[in-house]
Amino acid sequence: MNPAFQLSRLQKIDSEIDQITLRQQEIARMISDQTVIDEIKERISTLDADLKAASKILKNIEEKNDRLQMKLQEDEHALYGGKIRLPRELQDLQNEIASVKNQISDHDEAQINSMLQIEELEKNKEKLLKELAEAESTFATRVAGLKGENTSLEKKRDNLLTERNAAVQNLDSSFLEKYETLRKIKRGLAVSVVVDQACTACGSTLTPSDWQAARSPERLVTCSSCGRILYAG
Ligand SMILES: [Zn+2]
């Protein structure tokens, strides 16, 4: 059988297997790439830290407020209890009550602001959790599709390997060796088809004698420019 034809058949099979391998590598990379999900998780953990800090601030304000309320009660109790009679002392106590009331009013405002801030952060977190759920569901759908594609590629590869075994069966081992060596050094393409008397791999035009030789069914001719095995069809 024409060795150039046999090798061109082998090349076609191997090129298809190479493409399948490339696509499978791409699929494996896409399946393991969770960048989008990781980014959202990162934003959620930043928000959690902000929420924790804001809650601590709110707790502080509430505790201070409790202490001030207690102080106010005590002062008012003293004021209306009738035990303090001296006008000077009464005046001091009234001044203190006014000052505590002012502080309470300031703290109330701070408390409201702090609560509003926490509410805002919680809303943002809710939004992000929704975003995360959507991203995870999109990713899962995508992964399922990619796994399906991978399974059919696997079947295709098995078929091609069977075809390949048949293709190399009657091939002279020295030709096969030459082919394998060229595959390694010529980025997978060992056999080049000749079209219009030119090598389609490198584009150079064949000399009339090479062209003649390439069409001979028994001989194996290589391109004088790129070194690939020529198949003249
Ligand atoms: Zn060439």
Side-chain angles (χ1 to χ4, degrees), residues 29 43 48 55 63 89 100 111 132 165-166 171 184 231:
R29 210 192 55 240
R43 277 156 68 203
D48 277 337
S55 301
E63 279 169 3
E89 280 181 18
V100 170
Q111 191 172 346
L132 178 65
N165 282 337
L171 201 57
K184 270 180 209 139
Y231 172 58

Side-chain angles (χ1 to χ4, degrees), residues 112-160:
I112 288 167
N113 286 337
S114 178
M115 284 161 84
L116 285 175
Q117 197 200 352
I118 288 172
E119 205 178 296
E120 188 67 28
L121 287 171
E122 271 168 353
K123 254 190 222 161
N124 286 344
K125 190 181 168 180
E126 222 171 281
K127 238 191 270 173
L128 278 180
L129 286 174
K130 222 178 188 179
E131 220 176 284
L132 178 65
E134 273 167 24
E136 279 174 336
S137 139
T138 305
F139 185 73
T141 309
R142 199 155 154 240
V143 165
L146 288 170
K147 281 185 175 166
E149 188 188 339
N150 201 47
T151 306
S152 64
L153 285 175
E154 211 52 62
K155 270 184 209 154
K156 216 169 158 189
R157 173 199 290 277
D158 285 347
N159 290 340
L160 284 166

Side-chain angles (χ1 to χ4, degrees), residues 76-94:
E76 283 180 338
H77 192 74
L79 182 65
Y80 302 118
K83 280 184 184 162
I84 297 167
R85 297 245 165 83
L86 288 171
R88 170 88 193 274
E89 280 181 18
L90 279 172
Q91 187 57 51
D92 282 350
L93 194 54
Q94 273 167 343

Side-chain angles (χ1 to χ4, degrees), residues 192 199-204 223-228 230:
S192 171
C199 166
T200 50
C202 72
S204 71
C223 171
S224 58
S225 176
C226 71
R228 291 184 175 90
L230 292 170

